[in-house]
Protein backbone atom coordinates (compact mmCIF):
# COMPACT_ATOMS: atom_id res chain seq x y z
CA UNK A 1 0.00 0.00 0.00
CA UNK A 2 1.12 3.53 -0.73
CA UNK A 3 1.02 6.39 1.78
CA UNK A 4 0.10 8.71 -1.08
CA UNK A 5 -0.62 6.75 -4.24
CA UNK A 6 1.08 8.67 -7.04
CA UNK A 7 1.31 5.50 -9.15
CA UNK A 8 -2.45 5.06 -9.27
CA UNK A 9 -2.89 8.76 -9.97
CA UNK A 10 -0.54 8.49 -12.95
CA UNK A 11 -2.20 5.30 -14.18
CA UNK A 12 -5.62 6.94 -14.23
CA UNK A 13 -4.34 10.08 -15.98
CA UNK A 14 -1.49 8.65 -18.03
CA UNK A 15 -2.63 9.76 -21.45
CA UNK A 16 -3.05 13.44 -20.60
CA UNK A 17 0.17 13.60 -18.57
CA UNK A 18 2.24 11.80 -21.21
CA UNK A 19 0.88 14.15 -23.87
CA UNK A 20 1.79 17.18 -21.77
CA UNK A 21 5.34 15.91 -21.21
CA UNK A 22 5.82 15.01 -24.88
CA UNK A 23 4.63 18.47 -25.87
CA UNK A 24 7.39 20.12 -23.85
CA UNK A 25 10.05 17.77 -25.20
CA UNK A 26 8.89 18.43 -28.77
CA UNK A 27 9.26 22.16 -28.21
CA UNK A 28 12.50 21.94 -26.17
CA UNK A 29 11.52 25.18 -24.45
CA UNK A 30 12.59 23.67 -21.14
CA UNK A 31 13.06 26.85 -19.09
CA UNK A 32 10.35 29.54 -18.89
CA UNK A 33 8.27 27.95 -21.64
CA UNK A 34 4.71 29.07 -22.34
CA UNK A 35 3.28 26.41 -19.97
CA UNK A 36 4.84 28.23 -17.01
CA UNK A 37 2.98 31.46 -17.77
CA UNK A 38 -0.22 29.52 -18.48
CA UNK A 39 0.05 27.66 -15.15
CA UNK A 40 0.70 30.90 -13.25
CA UNK A 41 -2.42 32.38 -14.81
CA UNK A 42 -4.54 29.34 -13.89
CA UNK A 43 -3.21 29.17 -10.34
CA UNK A 44 -3.79 32.88 -9.68
CA UNK A 45 -7.34 32.52 -10.94
CA UNK A 46 -8.03 29.40 -8.86
CA UNK A 47 -6.63 30.89 -5.67
CA UNK A 48 -8.22 34.28 -6.33
CA UNK A 49 -5.17 36.57 -6.27
CA UNK A 50 -3.71 38.96 -8.80
CA UNK A 51 -0.24 37.46 -9.19
CA UNK A 52 1.24 33.98 -9.12
CA UNK A 53 5.00 33.57 -9.56
CA UNK A 54 6.09 29.94 -9.96
CA UNK A 55 9.49 28.96 -8.56
CA UNK A 56 11.83 26.07 -7.80
CA UNK A 57 10.22 24.71 -4.61
CA UNK A 58 8.12 25.64 -1.59
CA UNK A 59 11.13 26.59 0.53
CA UNK A 60 12.37 29.05 -2.09
CA UNK A 61 8.84 30.44 -2.35
CA UNK A 62 8.97 31.34 1.37
CA UNK A 63 12.47 32.71 0.98
CA UNK A 64 11.50 34.86 -2.02
CA UNK A 65 8.62 36.36 -0.01
CA UNK A 66 10.90 37.27 2.88
CA UNK A 67 13.46 38.69 0.43
CA UNK A 68 10.79 40.91 -1.13
CA UNK A 69 10.17 42.33 2.37
CA UNK A 70 13.89 42.71 2.99
CA UNK A 71 13.85 40.52 6.11
CA UNK A 72 17.39 40.43 7.50
CA UNK A 73 19.62 40.05 10.54
CA UNK A 74 18.10 41.61 13.63
CA UNK A 75 14.50 41.06 12.50
CA UNK A 76 12.08 38.86 14.45
CA UNK A 77 9.63 36.61 12.59
CA UNK A 78 6.91 34.65 14.41
CA UNK A 79 6.37 31.07 13.23
CA UNK A 80 4.62 27.96 14.59
CA UNK A 81 6.71 25.53 16.61
CA UNK A 82 4.92 22.54 15.06
CA UNK A 83 5.55 22.52 11.30
CA UNK A 84 7.95 21.33 8.63
CA UNK A 85 11.45 22.74 9.10
CA UNK A 86 11.29 25.00 6.00
CA UNK A 87 8.74 27.37 7.56
CA UNK A 88 11.28 28.41 10.18
CA UNK A 89 14.48 27.64 8.27
CA UNK A 90 13.99 30.46 5.75
CA UNK A 91 13.95 33.04 8.56
CA UNK A 92 17.38 31.90 9.69
CA UNK A 93 18.65 31.59 6.10
CA UNK A 94 18.31 35.37 5.88
CA UNK A 95 19.97 35.88 9.26
CA UNK A 96 16.73 36.87 11.04
CA UNK A 97 15.51 35.25 14.26
CA UNK A 98 12.46 32.99 14.53
CA UNK A 99 10.11 33.37 17.50
CA UNK A 100 8.32 30.07 18.02
CA UNK A 101 4.60 30.12 18.72
CA UNK A 102 2.53 27.23 20.08
CA UNK A 103 -0.25 25.53 18.14
CA UNK A 104 -3.81 24.52 18.91
CA UNK A 105 -4.22 20.87 19.97
CA UNK A 106 -7.36 20.28 17.88
CA UNK A 107 -6.36 21.90 14.57
CA UNK A 108 -2.53 21.70 14.74
CA UNK A 109 -2.46 25.32 13.57
CA UNK A 110 -1.03 28.46 15.17
CA UNK A 111 -2.66 29.24 18.52
CA UNK A 112 -3.85 32.85 18.33
CA UNK A 113 -3.47 33.42 22.08
CA UNK A 114 0.03 32.01 22.08
CA UNK A 115 0.90 34.43 19.25
CA UNK A 116 -0.47 37.31 21.34
CA UNK A 117 1.63 36.25 24.34
CA UNK A 118 4.73 35.84 22.17
CA UNK A 119 4.21 39.36 20.82
CA UNK A 120 3.67 40.79 24.31
CA UNK A 121 6.87 39.17 25.49
CA UNK A 122 8.99 41.13 22.99
CA UNK A 123 6.77 44.14 22.34
CA UNK A 124 7.87 46.47 25.10
CA UNK A 125 11.58 46.42 24.39
CA UNK A 126 11.87 45.21 20.82
CA UNK A 127 8.73 46.16 18.95
CA UNK A 128 10.88 47.71 16.23
CA UNK A 129 12.37 44.27 15.49
CA UNK A 130 9.03 42.51 14.89
CA UNK A 131 8.67 42.24 11.11
CA UNK A 132 6.49 39.33 10.04
CA UNK A 133 4.31 36.38 11.02
CA UNK A 134 4.57 33.14 9.07
CA UNK A 135 1.40 31.11 9.40
CA UNK A 136 1.20 27.51 8.22
CA UNK A 137 -1.94 25.75 6.94
CA UNK A 138 -0.93 22.48 8.49
CA UNK A 139 -2.15 19.14 7.12
CA UNK A 140 -4.43 20.95 4.64
CA UNK A 141 -6.60 23.09 6.91
CA UNK A 142 -6.17 26.87 6.76
CA UNK A 143 -4.97 28.44 9.97
CA UNK A 144 -7.06 31.09 11.80
CA UNK A 145 -5.78 33.53 9.17
CA UNK A 146 -8.59 36.04 9.61
CA UNK A 147 -7.72 36.70 13.27
CA UNK A 148 -3.98 36.47 12.76
CA UNK A 149 -4.13 38.95 9.88
CA UNK A 150 -5.69 41.53 12.23
CA UNK A 151 -3.01 40.99 14.85
CA UNK A 152 -0.22 41.22 12.30
CA UNK A 153 -1.51 44.48 10.86
CA UNK A 154 -2.10 45.94 14.33
CA UNK A 155 1.66 45.63 14.83
CA UNK A 156 2.52 46.58 11.24
CA UNK A 157 3.91 43.14 10.57
CA UNK A 158 3.74 41.32 7.23
CA UNK A 159 1.69 38.14 7.08
CA UNK A 160 3.18 35.23 5.12
CA UNK A 161 0.84 32.28 4.60
CA UNK A 162 2.78 29.05 4.14
CA UNK A 163 0.23 27.10 2.13
CA UNK A 164 2.59 24.28 1.14
CA UNK A 165 0.06 21.82 2.59
CA UNK A 166 -2.98 24.05 2.40
CA UNK A 167 -3.46 24.48 -1.37
CA UNK A 168 -7.16 23.95 -2.17
CA UNK A 169 -8.34 24.50 1.42
CA UNK A 170 -10.85 27.21 2.25
CA UNK A 171 -11.71 29.67 5.02
CA UNK A 172 -15.16 31.24 4.72
CA UNK A 173 -15.36 30.23 1.06
CA UNK A 174 -12.05 31.93 0.24
CA UNK A 175 -9.17 29.79 -0.97
CA UNK A 176 -5.98 29.10 0.98
CA UNK A 177 -2.90 30.87 -0.42
CA UNK A 178 -4.90 34.11 -0.71
CA UNK A 179 -4.76 35.30 2.90
CA UNK A 180 -1.17 36.38 3.35
CA UNK A 181 0.23 39.71 2.23
CA UNK A 182 2.21 37.10 0.35
CA UNK A 183 1.26 33.40 0.35
CA UNK A 184 3.22 30.43 -0.92
CA UNK A 185 2.78 26.80 -1.82
CA UNK A 186 4.86 23.75 -2.74
CA UNK A 187 4.42 21.26 -5.58
CA UNK A 188 6.58 18.58 -3.94
CA UNK A 189 5.08 15.31 -5.29
CA UNK A 190 3.24 14.34 -2.08
CA UNK A 191 1.59 17.72 -1.49
CA UNK A 192 -2.11 18.24 -2.31
CA UNK A 193 -1.11 19.52 -5.77
CA UNK A 194 2.21 17.86 -6.59
CA UNK A 195 4.42 17.77 -9.67
CA UNK A 196 7.03 15.20 -10.76
CA UNK A 197 9.95 16.80 -8.97
CA UNK A 198 10.40 20.04 -7.05
CA UNK A 199 8.24 23.09 -7.58
CA UNK A 200 6.61 25.96 -5.75
CA UNK A 201 4.72 29.21 -6.16
CA UNK A 202 4.30 32.66 -4.62
CA UNK A 203 0.92 34.44 -4.55
CA UNK A 204 0.20 38.11 -3.91
CA UNK A 205 -2.13 40.95 -4.85
CA UNK A 206 0.70 43.47 -4.49
CA UNK A 207 2.25 44.56 -7.82
CA UNK A 208 5.57 45.70 -6.32
CA UNK A 209 6.20 42.49 -4.37
CA UNK A 210 5.21 40.41 -7.41
CA UNK A 211 7.80 42.25 -9.46
CA UNK A 212 10.47 41.89 -6.77
CA UNK A 213 9.81 38.15 -6.42
CA UNK A 214 9.99 37.79 -10.21
CA UNK A 215 13.36 39.52 -10.15
CA UNK A 216 14.83 37.64 -7.16
CA UNK A 217 13.77 34.38 -8.80
CA UNK A 218 16.05 35.03 -11.79
CA UNK A 219 19.35 36.40 -10.45
CA UNK A 220 17.92 39.77 -9.44
CA UNK A 221 17.13 40.55 -13.04
CA UNK A 222 16.30 44.05 -14.25
CA UNK A 223 15.13 44.21 -17.85
CA UNK A 224 16.49 40.70 -18.48
CA UNK A 225 18.69 38.15 -16.76
CA UNK A 226 21.87 39.83 -18.03
CA UNK A 227 20.84 43.10 -16.41
CA UNK A 228 21.22 42.41 -12.69
CA UNK A 229 19.89 45.04 -10.34
CA UNK A 230 19.91 43.11 -7.05
CA UNK A 231 21.33 39.90 -5.58
CA UNK A 232 18.85 37.14 -6.24
CA UNK A 233 18.91 33.41 -6.85
CA UNK A 234 18.03 30.87 -9.54
CA UNK A 235 14.67 29.39 -8.66
CA UNK A 236 12.47 28.80 -11.67
CA UNK A 237 9.78 26.19 -12.13
CA UNK A 238 10.80 24.23 -15.22
CA UNK A 239 8.45 23.89 -18.17
CA UNK A 240 8.02 20.11 -17.80
CA UNK A 241 6.74 20.53 -14.27
CA UNK A 242 4.43 23.34 -15.33
CA UNK A 243 2.96 21.19 -18.13
CA UNK A 244 2.37 18.33 -15.68
CA UNK A 245 0.82 20.70 -13.14
CA UNK A 246 -1.65 22.10 -15.69
CA UNK A 247 -3.00 18.55 -16.13
CA UNK A 248 -2.92 17.80 -12.42
CA UNK A 249 -4.68 21.04 -11.48
CA UNK A 250 -7.58 19.89 -13.69
CA UNK A 251 -7.99 16.59 -11.86
CA UNK A 252 -7.42 18.29 -8.51
CA UNK A 253 -10.37 20.61 -9.18
CA UNK A 254 -12.58 18.03 -10.84
CA UNK A 255 -12.02 15.09 -8.54
CA UNK A 256 -9.14 14.88 -6.11
CA UNK A 257 -10.03 17.63 -3.64
CA UNK A 258 -13.57 16.31 -3.14
CA UNK A 259 -12.46 12.71 -3.03
CA UNK A 260 -9.91 13.43 -0.28
CA UNK A 261 -12.75 14.92 1.74
CA UNK A 262 -14.77 11.74 1.26
CA UNK A 263 -11.86 9.58 2.33
CA UNK A 264 -11.33 11.77 5.40
CA UNK A 265 -15.01 11.36 6.28
CA UNK A 266 -14.65 7.55 6.16
CA UNK A 267 -11.70 7.71 8.55
CA UNK A 268 -13.50 10.05 10.93
CA UNK A 269 -16.66 7.92 10.92
CA UNK A 270 -14.65 4.80 11.77
CA UNK A 271 -12.21 6.27 14.25
CA UNK A 272 -14.08 8.87 16.29
CA UNK A 273 -14.34 7.67 19.85
CA UNK A 274 -11.23 5.50 19.39
CA UNK A 275 -8.53 8.12 18.79
CA UNK A 276 -8.60 11.92 18.48
CA UNK A 277 -9.64 12.48 14.88
CA UNK A 278 -8.70 15.74 13.15
CA UNK A 279 -11.02 18.69 13.76
CA UNK A 280 -12.01 20.84 10.80
CA UNK A 281 -13.59 24.09 12.01
CA UNK A 282 -17.09 24.93 10.70
CA UNK A 283 -15.89 27.78 8.47
CA UNK A 284 -12.99 25.80 6.99
CA UNK A 285 -12.38 23.15 4.33
CA UNK A 286 -9.25 21.03 4.34
CA UNK A 287 -7.36 19.71 1.35
CA UNK A 288 -6.18 16.83 3.57
CA UNK A 289 -2.46 16.97 2.89
CA UNK A 290 -2.39 14.60 5.85
CA UNK A 291 -4.97 12.71 7.89
CA UNK A 292 -3.40 12.88 11.33
CA UNK A 293 -4.84 11.23 14.43
CA UNK A 294 -3.73 11.53 18.06
CA UNK A 295 -3.38 8.68 20.52
CA UNK A 296 -3.63 8.83 24.31
CA UNK A 297 0.12 8.46 24.68
CA UNK A 298 3.35 7.73 22.86
CA UNK A 299 3.34 3.99 23.68
CA UNK A 300 -0.04 3.49 22.01
CA UNK A 301 0.98 5.63 19.05
CA UNK A 302 4.19 3.69 18.50
CA UNK A 303 2.39 0.39 18.90
CA UNK A 304 -0.27 1.33 16.35
CA UNK A 305 2.43 2.40 13.88
CA UNK A 306 4.25 -0.92 14.39
CA UNK A 307 1.10 -3.02 13.94
CA UNK A 308 0.16 -1.13 10.78
CA UNK A 309 3.69 -1.54 9.43
CA UNK A 310 3.62 -5.31 10.06
CA UNK A 311 0.46 -5.39 7.98
CA UNK A 312 2.02 -3.49 5.10
CA UNK A 313 0.35 -0.17 5.88
CA UNK A 314 2.67 2.84 5.82
CA UNK A 315 2.23 5.65 8.33
CA UNK A 316 4.31 8.73 9.15
CA UNK A 317 5.02 10.87 12.17
CA UNK A 318 4.52 14.52 11.25
CA UNK A 319 6.29 15.85 13.22
CA UNK A 320 8.61 14.00 15.58
CA UNK A 321 10.33 17.12 16.93
CA UNK A 322 9.13 20.68 17.54
CA UNK A 323 11.18 23.48 15.98
CA UNK A 324 12.52 24.75 19.32
CA UNK A 325 14.13 21.35 19.99
CA UNK A 326 15.80 21.04 16.58
CA UNK A 327 19.57 21.13 16.87
CA UNK A 328 19.77 23.76 14.13
CA UNK A 329 17.84 26.13 16.40
CA UNK A 330 19.76 25.34 19.58
CA UNK A 331 20.93 28.96 19.83
CA UNK A 332 17.48 30.48 19.28
CA UNK A 333 15.94 31.55 22.60
CA UNK A 334 12.55 29.95 23.25
CA UNK A 335 10.14 29.54 26.12
CA UNK A 336 9.45 25.82 26.51
CA UNK A 337 6.58 26.60 28.91
CA UNK A 338 4.79 28.32 26.03
CA UNK A 339 5.37 25.47 23.59
CA UNK A 340 3.81 22.59 25.45
CA UNK A 341 1.14 21.64 22.92
CA UNK A 342 3.67 21.38 20.08
CA UNK A 343 5.93 19.29 22.25
CA UNK A 344 3.14 16.96 23.32
CA UNK A 345 1.79 16.54 19.77
CA UNK A 346 5.12 15.14 18.63
CA UNK A 347 4.58 12.17 20.96
CA UNK A 348 1.01 11.31 20.01
CA UNK A 349 0.44 12.11 16.33
CA UNK A 350 0.26 9.56 13.54
CA UNK A 351 -0.51 10.36 9.91
CA UNK A 352 -2.37 7.64 8.02
CA UNK A 353 -2.39 6.85 4.28
CA UNK A 354 -4.33 9.67 2.62
CA UNK A 355 -4.98 10.23 -1.08
CA UNK A 356 -7.85 10.42 -3.57
CA UNK A 357 -7.44 6.83 -4.73
CA UNK A 358 -8.07 5.14 -1.37
CA UNK A 359 -11.20 3.01 -1.24
CA UNK A 360 -13.69 2.92 1.62
CA UNK A 361 -12.82 -0.75 2.13
CA UNK A 362 -9.13 -0.03 2.58
CA UNK A 363 -9.86 2.78 5.01
CA UNK A 364 -12.04 0.39 7.04
CA UNK A 365 -9.30 -2.22 7.08
CA UNK A 366 -6.78 0.34 8.39
CA UNK A 367 -9.25 1.53 11.00
CA UNK A 368 -9.95 -1.99 12.27
CA UNK A 369 -6.26 -2.41 13.05
CA UNK A 370 -6.08 0.93 14.83
CA UNK A 371 -9.14 0.05 16.90
CA UNK A 372 -7.55 -3.24 17.95
CA UNK A 373 -4.54 -1.41 19.33
CA UNK A 374 -6.31 1.58 20.86
CA UNK A 375 -9.16 -0.36 22.42
CA UNK A 376 -7.06 -3.30 23.70
C1 LIG B 1 6.75 20.86 2.15
C2 LIG B 1 6.68 22.09 2.95
C3 LIG B 1 7.50 23.19 2.68
C4 LIG B 1 8.62 23.17 1.68
O1 LIG B 1 8.30 22.80 0.41
P1 LIG B 1 9.45 22.21 -0.57
O2 LIG B 1 8.82 22.28 -1.90
O3 LIG B 1 9.73 20.83 -0.12
O4 LIG B 1 10.63 23.10 -0.45
C5 LIG B 1 7.32 24.34 3.44
N1 LIG B 1 6.43 24.39 4.42
C6 LIG B 1 5.63 23.35 4.73
C7 LIG B 1 4.63 23.48 5.83
C8 LIG B 1 5.74 22.16 4.02
O5 LIG B 1 4.96 21.12 4.34
Amino acid sequence: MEFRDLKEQYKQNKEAIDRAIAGVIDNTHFISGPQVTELEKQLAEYVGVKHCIACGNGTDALLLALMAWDIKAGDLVFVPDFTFFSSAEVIATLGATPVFVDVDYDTFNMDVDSLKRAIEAVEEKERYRMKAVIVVDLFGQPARLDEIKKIASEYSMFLLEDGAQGFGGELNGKKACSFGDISTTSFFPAKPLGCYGDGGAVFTDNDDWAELVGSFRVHGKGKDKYDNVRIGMNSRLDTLQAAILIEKLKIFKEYEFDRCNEVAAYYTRELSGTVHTPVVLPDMRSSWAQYTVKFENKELRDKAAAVLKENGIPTAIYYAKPMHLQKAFADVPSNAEELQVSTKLCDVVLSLPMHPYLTEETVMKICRMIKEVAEA
Side-chain angles (χ1 to χ4, degrees), residues 56-60 62 83-87 136-138 162-165 184-188 191 198-200 319:
N57 55 69
T59 307
D60 282 357
L62 292 166
T83 180
F84 179 61
F85 189 60
S86 283
S87 320
V136 181
D137 301 330
L138 207 70
D162 178 354
Q165 301 182 16
T184 62
T185 197
S186 161
F187 304 122
F188 182 86
K191 305 281 172 168
D198 277 312
Y319 293 93

Side-chain angles (χ1 to χ4, degrees), residues 305-318:
V307 168
L308 290 169
K309 189 174 177 203
E310 275 165 29
N311 286 279
I313 296 161
T315 61
I317 294 175
Y318 298 128

Side-chain angles (χ1 to χ4, degrees), residues 105-106 108 264 266-279 291-305 308 345 347-352 363 366-376:
Y105 189 74
D106 284 337
F108 308 102
Y266 300 145
Y267 268 125
T268 301
R269 181 192 70 204
E270 295 301 313
L271 291 176
S272 46
T274 300
V275 291
H276 292 264
T277 52
V279 175
Y291 188 91
T292 302
V293 298
K294 296 178 288 252
F295 287 79
E296 279 307 309
N297 54 54
K298 186 172 190 304
E299 290 65 38
L300 271 181
R301 189 273 308 270
D302 291 345
K303 190 163 172 223
L308 290 169
L345 281 172
D347 281 343
V348 298
V349 288
L350 189 66
S351 299
L352 306 176
V363 170
I366 296 169
C367 294
R368 272 198 298 277
M369 288 176 207
I370 293 171
K371 282 183 197 170
E372 270 174 36
V373 176
E375 292 168 2

